[in-house]
Amino acid sequence: MNAYQTAKRIMIFCLAVVLIGCDGDGPTRALGDPPKEIFDATTIKGVNSGQLVTLVNELPGEIQVVAYPDDPNTPDNEITMDYARTGWGEKTEDQAADEAEQHIVVTMQNELSGIEIRVKSQNANPNDTVVLHVRVPPRTPLKITNTRGNSVVIGEFNYVEAQMTQAGNIEVRGAVGKLSLKTPAGNISVDEMGQPSDQSGSLDLETGKGNISMYAVGVNVKATASNGDIQFVGSLMANQPNYFETKGKGNITLALPDDVSYTFDATGGDKVVNDFVPSSIVCGEAPPTATLDYHAEPIPGQIGHVNITYQSTTTHHISGTMMAQNHYYLFHLTDGKVAKYLPASSPPLQAGGALWTPECGKIDTGAVSPVKFQAWAAPSGSISIRLISKH
């Protein structure tokens, strides 16, 4: 067994015991286990409101950023950073501590472009890691570039741009405004995403391998997962594009309020399930080349749905409009089998034939809702458009 394999690990902690009021370099002290520990927190006060904070991590590790709430005990416009370094040594813990201290440099500076926090690798061991904690005022714009590890952002941020260069999960909770989150491999999670009245919210999310989960109110969305599922729960912004796509594999599930009208396009996948409120007139159109196998089956509950199952995994397209105020659901499809499930306990209304009744002639087929979205599913995936009832 070589020296590298028998290496002992040591963590050098640069942690603020209390983030508030820490400033400058702290004391260095010797301990028995671990043999060396460094306490060091850096604080910059008097930061201009809305000043950009940039974090760049050249080493694997986790980044955690928190926007502290308004608190009379917390100085205004203060940014505080602390971190923990993990180094490696060939024989002793002291060697590992020295290696981390010499080869991992963490800095925070007030530049013209904003506050810059950097974790630099000066010929560090490939196994060295850094955990970085940062606290900033609310509504701070934030830009993160991380190598390999998780990035977590919590609090009221009005702009977050986070990118993983190799792999890692990205989690944002409580933000407002605009988010741009991208990772080659990892999950993306957005929770409690809202928007103030003076600002629009938008999500631009992309993962190469992983799932995307969103809980947001009043946003426009562009979400792409190459190999993973996409889930959105919330409401979409009107008069803005909304786009959801899974490529190699993965399902798309949207849960939307049932008192809002929608115009949608769904392409690809092997199945599309679309809910409708029980008072809606459901009408469907298909070209002569399509196979329309329509039947109705009763189901319990307050929401019915139309289930369109494709006969192959090649690309198919269904478009439609759900008008909540006029209580109808109209769709057009290129292929597939259609089943209409009704929220009732009565026998099936009809079986076979076209999904078109005399009432459908009263529908304005050109009606368009200001809330629009597109969903493109992977060939083996599915698209589910569920309605959230407020009653």
Side-chain angles (χ1 to χ4, degrees):
M1 183 178 295
N2 58 35
Y4 176 79
Q5 292 174 323
T6 60
K8 292 184 178 181
R9 299 179 61 186
I10 181 66
M11 295 187 69
I12 298 182
F13 291 96
C14 298
L15 296 172
V17 178
V18 181
L19 289 175
I20 308 306
C22 296
D23 194 2
D25 295 335
T28 301
R29 60 177 180 172
L31 297 176
D33 185 20
K36 184 178 291 184
E37 194 175 38
I38 299 176
F39 286 84
D40 189 10
T42 303
T43 299
I44 297 179
K45 298 181 180 181
V47 177
N48 294 332
S49 179
Q51 192 168 4
L52 175 67
V53 174
T54 301
L55 292 82
V56 179
N57 185 11
E58 297 179 0
L59 288 169
E62 182 172 300
I63 293 178
Q64 298 179 0
V65 187
V66 177
Y68 57 78
D70 293 334
D71 187 339
N73 298 319
T74 302
D76 292 335
N77 300 326
E78 175 182 288
I79 295 179
T80 300
M81 171 198 71
D82 59 53
Y83 56 92
R85 296 176 292 189
T86 302
W88 288 75
E90 292 186 354
K91 295 182 178 180
T92 67
E93 292 180 343
D94 279 333
Q95 289 177 338
D98 291 338
E99 189 273 332
E101 188 173 0
Q102 293 174 11
H103 299 294
I104 303 174
V105 178
V106 184
T107 61
M108 181 168 70
Q109 296 177 333
N110 195 346
E111 305 287 352
L112 293 177
S113 59
I115 306 298
E116 294 188 2
I117 300 173
R118 294 185 177 272
V119 179
K120 299 179 181 180
S121 171
Q122 298 179 339
N123 297 318
N125 188 294
N127 294 289
D128 288 353
T129 60
V130 173
V131 176
L132 184 64
H133 303 126
V134 181
R135 292 186 67 178
V136 303
R139 298 291 190 99
T140 295
L142 181 65
K143 184 176 181 180
I144 297 175
T145 302
N146 200 2
T147 305
R148 187 173 70 252
N150 298 331
S151 296
V152 181
V153 179
I154 301 174
E156 188 179 353
F157 288 85
N158 60 0
Y159 177 84
V160 178
E161 179 181 342
Q163 181 173 1
M164 307 299 305
T165 59
Q166 295 183 18
N169 301 327
I170 302 175
E171 180 181 357
V172 178
R173 300 203 305 268
V176 298
K178 299 181 179 180
L179 306 183
S180 177
L181 315 176
K182 298 181 181 180
T183 176
N187 298 325
I188 297 177
S189 175
V190 176
D191 198 359
E192 301 175 7
M193 173 72 185
Q195 68 176 77
S197 58
D198 60 343
Q199 186 172 340
S200 61
S202 66
L203 304 179
D204 185 1
L205 315 179
E206 181 179 346
T207 177
K209 185 179 181 180
N211 302 321
I212 297 178
S213 176
M214 297 163 280
Y215 294 83
V217 176
V219 296
N220 76 281
V221 181
K222 179 182 179 183
T224 304
S226 295
N227 287 282
D229 298 331
I230 294 178
Q231 180 187 67
F232 177 86
V233 179
S235 59
L236 300 173
M237 188 185 305
N239 302 313
Q240 294 289 337
N242 296 285
Y243 182 77
F244 307 86
E245 181 181 12
T246 59
K247 294 182 178 180
K249 63 178 181 179
N251 303 319
I252 298 174
T253 303
L254 310 179
L256 307 171
D258 67 352
D259 58 350
V260 178
S261 300
Y262 305 96
T263 296
F264 67 90
D265 287 288
T267 301
D270 60 3
K271 181 172 65 174
V272 173
V273 178
N274 202 153
D275 287 348
F276 60 88
V277 295
S279 58
S280 297
I281 299 174
V282 179
C283 303
E285 291 184 323
T289 55
T291 300
L292 185 60
D293 181 12
Y294 164 66
H295 60 280
E297 296 181 8
I299 61 171
Q302 299 301 314
I303 297 292
H305 65 262
V306 172
N307 189 328
I308 300 174
T309 304
Y310 297 123
Q311 301 173 17
S312 66
T313 58
T314 57
T315 300
H316 297 270
H317 176 248
I318 172 175
S319 61
T321 300
M322 296 179 283
M323 301 299 290
Q325 63 272 26
N326 295 325
H327 302 291
Y328 72 80
Y329 166 41
L330 173 67
F331 68 90
H332 312 270
L333 72 154
T334 58
D335 199 359
K337 294 184 177 180
V338 180
K340 175 184 174 183
Y341 297 88
L342 301 174
S345 58
S346 59
L349 299 181
Q350 69 181 98
L355 212 89
W356 195 267
T357 64
E359 290 97 348
C360 295
K362 304 175 185 178
I363 292 176
D364 180 6
T365 58
V368 176
S369 168
V371 180
K372 304 176 184 178
F373 62 87
Q374 289 180 293
W376 291 61
S380 60
S382 65
I383 298 173
S384 299
I385 305 169
R386 301 297 190 181
L387 296 182
I388 304 172
S389 178
K390 298 180 180 180
H391 306 292

